[in-house]
Amino acid sequence: MPYRIDETHDPKLESWIESANDPNTDFPIQNLPLCRFAPPHEHGLCDHLGVRIGDTILDLQELAYTLPIVGDTPGPAEADMFAGENEPSLLSSFNGPLGHAIRARLQHVLAATNRGKFESIVRENLHAVEDCEFDPPAVSRDYTDFYASLFHATNVGSMFRPDNPILPNYKHIPIGYHGRASSIVPSGTPIIRPLGQKAPPDDPSSTGSSAGPSFGPCSMLDYELEVGAVIARGNELGNTIPLAEAEDHILGLCLVNDWSARDLQKWEYQPLGPFLAKNFATTISPYIVTMEALAPFRCPAFTRDPADPRPLPYLSNENNERAGGFDITLEVYLASEQMRTRGMSPIRLSRGGFKDMYWTLAQMLTHHASNGCNMQPGDLIASGTVSGRTRDARGCMLELTWNGDPFANPPVKAPGTSRTPIELPTGEKRVFLADGDEVIIRGYCEREGFRRIGFGECRGIIQPARA
């Protein structure tokens, strides 16, 4: 069930941390997303749990030694609740009544009205964001990526199957695949261009090559704009997660870039789907924006065409239809190495909305566990590429540069090879990503009568392939 809107969402709340009161910040006192970080004096060991407010990180573990957050008495026992080794049990607690109590307590000590009472104690445990190091916000033991945007699936399907872009199962079942948790990396980690096996050329005589596949650096490197959900509470092997309870298992959301090697993918994906083209790196933003903070920004699930099949009963209920979506604006920016050298700002490639997803996160999680698969605290599930109906809302280069448009009236058909490059302000052109390119994903929520909240950034710069 979605969290209720209460006093913790009051837009009039302000903090004695002035940067949190900036109307353009992602991190007002109404947000307080969780993160795993290393404070300045402990570089390299990101085992502290914190929350971001304004331009600072509040170290919950250290604060609990001097100021109680959960109980009545500060000290080692209180601090141990926020230690890195206790993360699984902590994640399970944060999305229930205890999480609500912690959120309310932190707002209380950070509120402008309580400056005189708490500032001197709390400020000792505040660190400037730029002085901290971050890991992914949860230790993910498993990672599953879905394919939940009908617009993305239709665009990609139309490139190769213009007369049958959507396969028969798509509107009945949330499609997904198991990713690689070991290659989930925090925002800012350099992304090394992968090596891999690629298909033989369509016309071997034009290149003088043999008819066999080749091995070498990926030449069609792409990003994928996605939203991830971090699991707070799992289920025992053999048990399921009913749709009505699915959101009780989700701690919150983050930004995800599931980098993709399209030329490797083209050769290897049949018959078992994504493999090496997808598991070389997945970048995740540093912060978990909690389900409670997102309560004002819920929206109805995607409105299906009347001709579409109804989801089977285990994937359907009134609450999910009424408020299963999230109204999140998502943007992708790109800066080439030459642009950064010349001091140019990144250009925006696309802007889309997470409310356009065909399947909700609750449906994805319920389906994932419907066969008795045991989810675990910290597991990451991602939405798949978030794309909209229009070209400027497409969530990857594969779609952005493609000349077809199945949603035009009449539809514009084009083979997958028909592409128009994106032109950068330096005169450079891109069909796919080049070495030195930096991709920046941003996300935020806005609604009249509430404070804007955001997710921060999910960044990565492409490095050359290694021999």
Side-chain angles (χ1 to χ4, degrees):
M1 292 288 293
Y3 282 93
R4 292 183 300 175
I5 298 172
D6 60 20
E7 65 279 359
T8 66
H9 305 99
D10 185 349
K12 297 177 183 177
L13 283 174
E14 291 193 338
S15 174
W16 49 262
I17 299 174
E18 294 300 330
S19 59
N21 303 324
D22 183 339
N24 296 314
T25 184
D26 278 355
F27 307 107
I29 196 172
Q30 291 83 358
N31 193 349
L32 302 180
L34 298 165
C35 61
R36 286 196 311 134
F37 78 105
H41 56 281
E42 294 184 19
H43 282 304
L45 186 61
C46 298
D47 64 347
H48 288 239
L49 184 75
V51 295
R52 177 155 179 182
I53 176 163
D55 295 335
T56 64
I57 302 295
L58 175 58
D59 190 329
L60 300 184
Q61 184 178 359
E62 293 297 323
L63 179 65
Y65 279 106
T66 54
L67 188 71
I69 300 174
V70 177
D72 299 321
T73 307
E78 177 92 351
D80 281 350
M81 291 195 62
F82 301 99
E85 60 266 23
N86 293 327
E87 184 186 72
S89 60
L90 186 62
L91 292 176
S92 298
S93 301
F94 254 101
N95 72 329
L98 179 59
H100 177 80
I102 292 171
R103 174 181 167 83
R105 172 64 171 165
L106 292 175
Q107 281 193 343
H108 181 69
V109 302
L110 294 166
T113 53
N114 292 321
R115 183 174 204 145
K117 187 184 295 186
F118 297 112
E119 181 181 7
S120 61
I121 298 173
V122 174
R123 195 169 286 281
E124 295 178 1
N125 302 288
L126 283 174
H127 306 286
V129 170
E130 60 267 22
D131 295 335
C132 299
E133 295 179 10
F134 297 89
D135 267 355
V139 178
S140 298
R141 295 161 180 82
D142 278 300
Y143 162 48
T144 302
D145 199 20
F146 282 87
Y147 192 56
S149 166
L150 178 65
F151 298 117
H152 172 64
T154 303
N155 284 334
V156 174
S158 296
M159 293 177 196
F160 309 108
R161 302 183 306 273
D163 297 321
N164 185 32
I166 296 298
L167 296 176
N169 62 350
Y170 186 85
K171 295 182 178 181
H172 293 275
I173 183 173
I175 302 298
Y177 73 93
H178 289 289
R180 180 78 182 174
S182 66
S183 53
I184 295 175
V185 297
S187 177
T189 303
I191 303 301
I192 300 167
R193 182 176 295 273
L195 300 166
Q197 192 174 134
K198 295 175 280 188
D202 294 333
D203 181 9
S205 63
S206 65
T207 62
S209 64
S210 67
S214 60
F215 183 88
C218 164
S219 57
M220 298 170 67
L221 187 57
D222 203 354
Y223 66 85
E224 290 195 347
L225 166 65
E226 306 195 19
V227 171
V230 176
I231 303 303
R233 179 164 56 88
N235 56 300
E236 292 185 6
L237 184 66
N239 290 352
T240 63
I241 299 177
L243 185 62
E245 302 172 13
E247 291 194 5
D248 296 337
H249 291 255
I250 298 175
L251 175 58
L253 310 186
C254 58
L255 303 177
V256 174
N257 183 347
D258 191 39
W259 305 92
S260 298
R262 300 300 188 187
D263 43 352
L264 278 60
Q265 184 178 5
K266 176 183 176 182
W267 178 235
E268 73 175 9
Y269 84 100
Q270 295 186 20
L272 295 180
F275 183 34
L276 300 183
K278 292 279 193 175
N279 68 5
F280 59 94
T282 300
T283 302
I284 184 171
S285 58
Y287 310 108
I288 301 174
V289 178
T290 64
M291 297 289 277
E292 191 164 7
L294 289 163
F297 309 103
R298 304 305 300 268
C299 62
F302 184 85
T303 301
R304 299 184 174 214
D305 189 288
D308 286 358
R310 292 286 303 164
L312 293 176
Y314 80 103
L315 290 174
S316 178
N317 68 30
E318 182 180 348
N319 285 330
N320 184 72
E321 291 187 14
R322 177 178 53 83
F326 296 84
D327 191 359
I328 305 170
T329 299
L330 298 164
E331 298 176 336
V332 181
Y333 293 79
L334 186 143
S336 70
E337 185 173 20
Q338 188 179 151
M339 288 172 64
R340 295 194 304 278
T341 300
R342 295 169 60 177
M344 295 179 172
S345 298
I347 65 163
R348 192 178 72 204
L349 297 181
S350 67
R351 174 186 284 166
F354 194 58
K355 64 182 180 181
D356 288 334
M357 303 304 282
Y358 193 79
W359 296 100
T360 67
L361 286 168
Q363 287 173 317
M364 294 178 223
L365 178 56
T366 289
H367 180 67
H368 199 323
S370 63
N371 67 342
C373 174
N374 54 322
M375 309 299 295
Q376 302 176 87
D379 283 357
L380 176 68
I381 63 173
S383 62
T385 303
V386 181
S387 290
R389 184 180 296 273
T390 59
R391 186 163 184 163
D392 61 357
R394 296 176 179 180
C396 62
M397 299 283 276
L398 181 70
E399 294 176 82
L400 271 175
T401 62
W402 179 57
N403 291 327
D405 187 355
F407 302 103
N409 189 17
V412 177
K413 294 186 178 183
T417 54
S418 176
R419 300 187 172 276
T420 298
I422 295 166
E423 186 161 344
L424 305 183
T426 54
E428 301 170 275
K429 295 182 179 182
R430 296 287 187 270
V431 173
F432 291 100
L433 298 172
D435 291 347
D437 285 352
E438 180 175 27
V439 177
I440 306 155
I441 294 174
R442 298 171 183 159
Y444 57 90
C445 302
E446 291 179 318
R447 178 184 168 190
E448 186 175 354
F450 294 92
R451 278 299 304 270
R452 174 192 186 278
I453 69 170
F455 291 76
E457 294 183 337
C458 183
R459 289 175 173 260
I461 296 178
I462 307 301
Q463 303 294 315
R466 294 176 180 170

